[in-house]
Amino acid sequence: MSIATYTDMVTAIGDWLDRGDLAARSADFIRLAEARLNRLLDDADMEVSTTLTASGAYTDLPADFGEMVSISTGNGPLGMAGPVEFAGYDQTITGTPRVYSIVERKIAFAPANATATINLVYRRAIPPLSSVNTTNWLLARAPDIYLYGALVQASAFLGEDERVTLWKAAFDEAIQELRIDSQRRKWGAGPIAPRIRRK
């Protein structure tokens, strides 16, 4: 059976568990699996680049923002400041941003700037599957991870301890294989070249 859509996944969960009464619960199993995957995965397909326009001291993060990879302006990369350090900056000073901090799902810049163009590379959250959003990059690349992750959640819900162990082992193995595949896709199969030091 092909698992290419949300409906396919719901059907597969029922088939693998040999249960026809879990369709209504399957959305929960899938969502819980996605929550774990968002914490575990660091895949090249999760990286997105975008351009933002600063809007004063605070600028909204993209809705699917998961983790910062890099942030820069035309003048170069911005340094990261923790919330306590950032609070010490004088927000009345304006100019080209030099540092950033993440505060309440917004990017805070110092100096503040209402017009700077910000180049952002970030790790996005996995687009959640649903009856409306029927597929995503992860389901297309690794339907086994989705299935095993959902089966772990379903088996825990059903109280089937032996199956939890079985599905979790398959899930962990599939995660490791995806990580290896991601490294190859991002960096190639050969060794990484040594950094050349500038004199």
Side-chain angles (χ1 to χ4, degrees), residues 51 102 196:
T51 301
I102 296 178
I196 299 173

Side-chain angles (χ1 to χ4, degrees), residues 52-60 97 106-109 112-118:
L52 305 174
T53 300
S55 54
Y58 297 93
T59 302
D60 288 333
K106 294 180 184 291
I107 308 172
F109 297 107
N113 189 304
T115 60
T117 298
I118 307 298

Side-chain angles (χ1 to χ4, degrees), residues 33 37 41 138 142-150 171 174-176 178:
L37 290 165
L41 293 184
L138 182 57
D144 56 334
I145 286 178
Y146 251 111
L147 178 62
Y148 296 144
F171 178 73
I175 288 281
Q176 187 59 33
L178 186 69

Side-chain angles (χ1 to χ4, degrees), residues 10 19 23 27 39 42 47 55 76-77 87 90 93 104 106 112 119 133-134 136 140 144 147 156 158 166 191:
V10 170
R19 294 281 297 259
R39 293 191 298 269
D42 176 10
E47 288 186 10
S55 54
D90 184 349
I93 297 173
E104 296 179 0
K106 294 180 184 291
N119 303 309
N133 185 44
T134 62
N136 61 28
D144 56 334
L147 178 62
L158 296 170
L166 174 69

Side-chain angles (χ1 to χ4, degrees), residues 16-17 36-37 39-40 144-156 160-176 179:
W16 279 62
L17 294 173
R36 284 205 69 205
L37 290 165
R39 293 191 298 269
L40 292 172
D144 56 334
I145 286 178
Y146 251 111
L147 178 62
Y148 296 144
L151 290 172
V152 168
Q153 302 303 324
S155 294
E160 298 175 356
D161 294 341
E162 291 180 10
R163 284 192 169 188
V164 170
T165 303
L166 174 69
W167 303 136
K168 185 171 182 322
F171 178 73
D172 291 343
E173 183 177 354
I175 288 281
Q176 187 59 33
R179 286 180 176 152

Side-chain angles (χ1 to χ4, degrees), residues 68-146:
M68 187 71 72
V69 175
S70 68
I71 184 169
S72 63
T73 66
N75 293 329
L78 302 183
M80 195 276 185
V84 174
E85 180 186 357
F86 190 84
Y89 286 99
D90 184 349
Q91 288 299 308
T92 64
I93 297 173
T94 60
T96 302
R98 295 178 182 267
V99 297
Y100 79 95
S101 187
I102 296 178
V103 180
E104 296 179 0
R105 293 207 50 86
K106 294 180 184 291
I107 308 172
F109 297 107
N113 189 304
T115 60
T117 298
I118 307 298
N119 303 309
L120 180 68
V121 179
Y122 66 97
R123 199 162 288 113
R124 63 181 170 167
I126 299 164
L129 291 179
S130 68
S131 57
V132 176
N133 185 44
T134 62
T135 192
N136 61 28
W137 66 268
L138 182 57
L139 184 63
R141 252 184 75 203
D144 56 334
I145 286 178
Y146 251 111

